[in-house]
Amino acid sequence: MNRRTLILGALVLTLPFVGCESADQLLDVTSPTTVSDEIFWTQENDAILTLSAVYSSLPDWFEIIGHDGLTDNGGVNRQFDSRYVFSDGTFDPQSVYGRERWARTANNPSRWEGWFPGVAKANILLGNIDRIPEGKIDPNRKARYIAEAKFLRAVLYLQLVATYGPVPMPLTPVSDEEARSLTNATVPQLYDQIIKDLDEAAAVLPVSYTGNDIGRATKYAALSYKARAALYDGRFQLAADAAKQVIDANVYSLHPNYGELFLYAGENSSERIFTHNYAKTTQAAGQNNNIFGEYAPFSNSGTASVVPIRQLVDAYYMRDGLPITSSPLYVAKPWTPEDTLSYTSNRDPRLAFTILYPGTEWDGRTFDSRPKGISTQPEAIDLQNAQASVTGFNIRKYIDLTDKADRGNGGIDIILMRYADVLLMYAEAKFELGQGDDPTAIAAFNLVRQRPSVNMPPVTTLTQELIRNERRVELAFEGLRLFDIRRWKIAEQVMPAPAVCGIDYINTAGETVRACQPVSARQFPARSYLWPLPQTELDLNPNLKQNPGF
């Protein structure tokens, strides 16, 4: 829990610009003008409130976990879910459905309308904080607030450029009229500004905080994001250098228990670098989350809106460090209660920490999601039940059973940056620089694989396949796979599939069958490497250019 979540309700009531929804607000970023000059920017608390509004715009639990449902890691469980057309490659922003669903709906995977208001609020703070009279704001805290705003703006712009590519890049508060003349910035311009903001933030932000300020942006959060931004843009030396600064600081370490890291028990872990914080509450909405209700299995009264798919399960190597295609430990047969040795046996332990599958010990019994009629358990595949996983797999990561009694009132903090990611970014950047045999890169990579609860065999050299697969299994359902398959330009190879499939099971005729979602063929047209700008924004501003193919 963190101070910023507790004042969000007061902020919404205090600042008119926080909740603006008028149809003519271009980008939902252009109406900071509703803030009253007479009552605002007169005291330090005004900067605190504005900054807290920026924090609330960070990527949230719904998108971080749910984004993997739009990749080869997962699937959208219900085909009427508005996210489904993003996963199968058929989205059309020009259709009536597309125009409606691309706007402001609860299940919309587009975050344009979430991230750009955060950018606006950061710009408002940066453009107005100097108006607070001297003596009304502590100068050291003022410098930190400015650094935090720059950090948060960089994080939001990184999400935007990674999702949409060339978006507008206002850096100051703009009026409605000014916003209607904005044009697309270039991708290099966006990354230059992101890295500039992060450098300036890192120079000022503290290494850590105490008390109610724990959870705010830190120096090494800024450097970690610098590594991510540089890696996304192919600036590998810059990425390696930034990641190495974080590593050499010796501030962070890997949490010994991988599964625990994503539960309440792991919230104070030294692996967590930056998080979106939540708190269970009986008060204002927005402080808590609905992770359990949205993603837990039906047997725990969850709705399983996004589920793992077989492609991800097959990506987990065997305990001997080999893929299932070459390991002698792999057994292809399905699990049954009578014979539990199956295709999920002897696997990388992160499989069981991340995914629920038949034979998993869960909530005091054996999880059995084989189809209804074969399994008698409530999590059984049932195509007549929209809340039962169609693949037979369910997400385990972030599902804490202490939430099941009040499933819509979760308080688990969502990790946005952690130390394992920094280690893997460093290894990848060094490999891309032609330094795959660098001892420091290999050590960083092996550190991730050999945390005590995982303990996979170490490697002696780095390869592209090893690096990419390690990121996939280590960071599954953490919102990064979508951006990884895009920046690696492999989405056209890994996304197309004749069907979205899951568990193997033995049917009543004694045949081995694979569970697949009906009529679930996937495609990935080249245009999908970038999502389209919302058509409503293009209608309001003819200076904006749509992404190719849309």
Side-chain angles (χ1 to χ4, degrees):
M1 185 174 67
N2 174 274
R3 178 201 55 78
R4 68 178 182 264
T5 63
L6 299 180
I7 64 172
L8 180 57
L11 177 61
V12 172
L13 296 175
T14 305
L15 300 185
F17 68 81
V18 169
C20 293
E21 291 289 345
S22 89
D24 63 350
Q25 282 184 347
L26 189 69
L27 307 180
D28 208 11
V29 71
T30 62
S31 287
T33 52
T34 55
V35 179
S36 169
D37 285 342
E38 288 75 23
I39 64 171
F40 221 71
W41 303 111
T42 59
Q43 57 185 330
E44 184 169 346
N45 194 54
D46 297 340
I48 294 171
L49 290 172
T50 307
L51 190 59
S52 296
V54 189
Y55 274 103
S56 72
S57 299
L58 288 166
D60 63 21
W61 63 271
F62 184 82
E63 64 205 65
I64 290 297
I65 300 174
H67 266 178
D68 268 28
L70 314 181
T71 73
D72 56 338
N73 279 358
V76 178
N77 200 43
R78 297 180 287 275
Q79 291 171 321
F80 56 80
D81 187 315
S82 62
R83 291 171 289 185
Y84 187 82
V85 293
F86 295 87
S87 67
D88 73 355
T90 61
F91 179 73
D92 179 7
Q94 303 296 339
S95 67
V96 174
Y97 174 88
R99 282 174 174 266
E100 176 185 346
R101 288 297 185 179
W102 203 235
R104 294 173 175 84
T105 57
N107 288 340
N108 184 358
S110 163
R111 297 305 298 150
W112 181 284
E113 79 291 345
W115 298 329
F116 259 120
V119 168
K121 294 161 197 172
N123 288 340
I124 288 167
L125 183 143
L126 294 170
N128 289 279
I129 195 169
D130 284 339
R131 294 170 53 197
I132 299 175
E134 188 175 346
K136 293 292 186 178
I137 184 170
D138 179 271
N140 291 326
R141 288 197 296 270
K142 176 182 175 180
R144 195 194 80 198
Y145 300 152
I146 291 171
E148 286 182 80
K150 289 181 178 179
F151 167 83
L152 294 168
R153 181 171 68 181
V155 170
L156 293 167
Y157 268 132
L158 179 58
Q159 292 293 122
L160 284 160
V161 69
T163 303
Y164 301 100
V167 298
M169 191 176 64
L171 298 175
T172 59
V174 293
S175 66
D176 288 346
E177 181 179 354
E178 290 169 331
R180 292 177 191 276
S181 64
L182 291 173
T183 59
N184 308 66
T186 66
V187 168
Q189 287 172 335
L190 284 156
Y191 277 108
D192 284 346
Q193 183 62 46
I194 290 165
I195 291 168
K196 178 175 182 291
D197 275 350
L198 292 170
D199 278 337
E200 292 176 1
V204 175
L205 291 172
V207 171
S208 62
Y209 296 89
T210 60
N212 288 335
D213 284 329
I214 292 174
R216 289 185 175 277
T218 64
K219 173 185 182 72
Y220 293 113
L223 288 171
S224 298
Y225 267 97
K226 179 181 178 181
R228 180 178 289 176
L231 194 66
Y232 281 14
D233 196 40
R235 306 183 192 189
F236 299 120
Q237 188 62 60
L238 193 65
D241 291 345
K244 193 65 162 58
Q245 283 183 268
V246 179
I247 294 168
D248 289 346
N250 292 316
V251 172
Y252 303 99
S253 60
L254 296 180
H255 195 73
N257 187 313
Y258 180 86
E260 186 181 80
L261 178 61
F262 307 97
L263 306 177
Y264 290 108
E267 287 199 331
N268 295 319
S269 170
S270 60
E271 183 167 344
R272 293 175 172 226
I273 296 176
F274 190 59
T275 61
H276 191 145
N277 291 4
Y278 295 94
K280 285 178 177 287
T281 180
T282 57
Q283 301 174 11
Q287 298 176 16
N288 57 4
N289 62 52
N290 187 30
I291 293 172
F292 198 94
E294 187 73 25
Y295 297 118
F298 177 68
S299 53
N300 293 120
S301 300
T303 60
S305 68
V306 167
V307 295
I309 63 176
R310 187 56 176 263
Q311 287 166 278
L312 173 60
V313 171
D314 286 347
Y316 288 86
Y317 284 9
M318 304 302 294
R319 290 304 302 263
D320 60 7
L322 297 174
I324 64 171
T325 53
S326 58
S327 172
L329 298 179
Y330 182 65
V331 176
K333 67 183 184 63
W335 174 89
T336 67
E338 298 76 26
D339 186 358
T340 59
L341 185 67
S342 75
Y343 61 90
T344 56
S345 302
N346 299 314
R347 302 291 284 276
D348 181 331
R350 288 172 291 189
L351 172 60
F353 285 131
T354 305
I355 297 172
L356 291 170
Y357 49 80
T360 308
E361 291 304 309
W362 176 250
D363 199 14
R365 63 174 176 82
T366 301
F367 192 81
D368 186 0
S369 56
R370 294 175 299 163
K372 185 177 180 180
I374 299 172
S375 169
T376 60
Q377 299 298 334
E379 65 267 13
I381 293 172
D382 179 2
L383 297 182
Q384 303 306 310
N385 180 359
Q387 296 179 350
S389 170
V390 294
T391 67
F393 297 125
N394 283 94
I395 297 171
R396 184 170 190 168
K397 185 179 280 189
Y398 282 117
I399 306 300
D400 194 312
L401 287 168
T402 60
D403 281 337
K404 73 175 182 177
D406 190 11
R407 63 188 181 92
N409 186 23
I412 293 178
D413 298 338
I414 288 289
I415 298 171
L416 302 181
M417 180 67 72
R418 60 185 177 97
Y419 188 51
D421 191 5
V422 174
L423 292 169
L424 293 178
M425 288 192 290
Y426 177 69
E428 181 181 348
K430 294 291 280 185
F431 174 81
E432 293 295 342
L433 290 166
Q435 300 169 27
D437 57 352
D438 184 292
T440 62
I442 294 170
F445 187 81
N446 283 331
L447 197 61
V448 176
R449 290 169 64 85
Q450 294 195 287
R451 82 168 75 217
S453 58
V454 175
N455 199 27
M456 289 290 285
V459 303
T460 57
T461 190
L462 297 177
T463 67
Q464 186 180 82
E465 179 183 357
L466 277 171
I467 290 167
R468 292 181 176 184
N469 199 75
E470 190 69 19
R471 283 191 63 83
R472 185 180 190 182
V473 299
E474 172 71 22
L475 303 170
F477 298 104
E478 296 182 46
L480 298 174
R481 181 65 177 173
L482 181 66
F483 303 121
D484 282 349
I485 63 174
R486 286 174 162 195
R487 66 187 179 87
W488 292 331
K489 298 299 181 186
I490 63 171
E492 288 170 283
Q493 289 77 53
V494 302
M495 283 299 296
V500 172
C501 297
I503 67 168
D504 287 347
Y505 63 95
I506 298 174
N507 66 14
T508 54
E511 302 164 325
T512 297
V513 180
R514 181 161 296 180
C516 294
Q517 188 174 30
V519 195
S520 58
R522 284 179 159 186
Q523 58 179 309
F524 192 91
R527 67 176 190 172
S528 293
Y529 277 107
L530 296 175
W531 280 355
L533 277 61
Q535 187 59 44
T536 51
E537 306 295 344
L538 301 176
D539 292 342
L540 289 166
N541 182 0
N543 295 302
L544 292 179
K545 304 300 181 185
Q546 183 58 283
N547 283 325
F550 294 102

